[in-house]
Amino acid sequence: VSRWSWWRRGGEGPPDAGRSATDNLQRAADGREDARPARDTGRRPPGPPPVRTSPVTAARLLEIITDRGYHVRTEPDGSLTGVWDGYQFHIRLAGEEQDFLSVRGLWGRLVPEELRGAVAQAANDWNRDKIWPTVFTAPTPDGVGVRTEIMADVGAGATDRQLLDIIEGGLSAGVQFFQALGRSMPPIEEPSPEV
């Protein structure tokens, strides 16, 4: 009865009131008393301030990319193009309301006619086994090209870190696919020098 007498008397609280759970655990580890959790007062310890998202614009994408040390060219429509590991990539805002971030890569070779079926199968296998990037073939005026793309919804805004993760993820995964595709293709025949 005396152990809980503070409760009946409306006293000031138990002997360990105001002590943190860490203090109680330390005291128990030292053999000074039983470990008792501290009362939850509803207050949380201060932590880092919440990270806020900001609207995504072409100017903001350019700033994030150049701050990272990448060299890109700004196109008339505000999109950005650059070369990573020998492959051309196009970074832009897409959609009717410019609320999707697209990172699209272009393989630097055209698919030979006799290998179109094999390349289409390689793209299908990749898309089945990997989450991203999406891989597809696309006709060009000169033949069939191969492209990669990731798209992320940024309509609600994004942090700088989120944007950089999307961009670098699209670049890295696109390069990975293009390198794998290049290893599976016959080498490009270079014209022999004139003797």
Side-chain angles (χ1 to χ4, degrees):
V1 175
S2 62
R3 183 173 179 188
W4 301 106
S5 60
W6 62 269
W7 178 263
R8 293 176 189 244
R9 290 185 285 125
E12 299 169 3
D16 62 347
R19 264 196 242 146
S20 72
T22 306
D23 291 340
N24 288 333
L25 290 174
Q26 184 61 49
R27 291 174 68 83
D30 294 343
R32 291 181 277 168
E33 66 179 43
D34 293 334
R36 294 184 204 130
R39 281 189 336 186
D40 185 2
T41 60
R43 291 179 292 180
R44 299 287 177 238
V51 178
R52 304 272 184 224
T53 60
S54 302
V56 180
T57 63
R60 186 165 167 227
L61 291 176
L62 177 61
E63 181 180 349
I64 289 168
I65 290 170
T66 54
D67 283 353
R68 184 69 169 162
Y70 296 140
H71 299 285
V72 292
R73 182 178 66 223
T74 303
E75 302 298 335
D77 65 355
S79 62
L80 307 169
T81 56
V83 176
W84 281 266
D85 290 338
Y87 303 101
Q88 183 176 1
F89 282 85
H90 191 75
I91 301 165
R92 65 192 178 99
L93 291 173
E96 289 182 15
E97 297 183 24
Q98 303 287 287
D99 52 354
F100 288 93
L101 173 57
S102 165
V103 180
R104 181 179 285 188
L106 176 62
W107 192 42
R109 294 173 59 182
L110 295 175
V111 179
E113 181 67 39
E114 66 275 11
L115 295 174
R116 287 185 185 176
V119 170
Q121 184 62 51
N124 287 339
D125 291 345
W126 179 278
N127 291 332
R128 181 193 63 232
D129 297 337
K130 309 280 188 192
I131 295 174
W132 45 267
T134 301
V135 177
F136 56 98
T137 59
T140 71
D142 301 320
V144 174
V146 181
R147 296 190 177 158
T148 63
E149 184 172 35
I150 68 165
M151 254 194 184
D153 185 345
V154 293
T159 66
D160 288 354
R161 180 75 253 170
Q162 289 169 331
L163 293 174
L164 196 56
D165 285 347
I166 293 165
I167 292 166
E168 291 189 330
L171 297 173
S172 173
V175 166
Q176 182 184 5
F177 175 78
F178 292 144
Q179 289 175 341
L181 183 61
R183 287 190 297 270
S184 69
M185 294 286 114
I188 299 173
E189 292 183 16
E190 298 291 340
S192 59
E194 305 256 355
V195 179

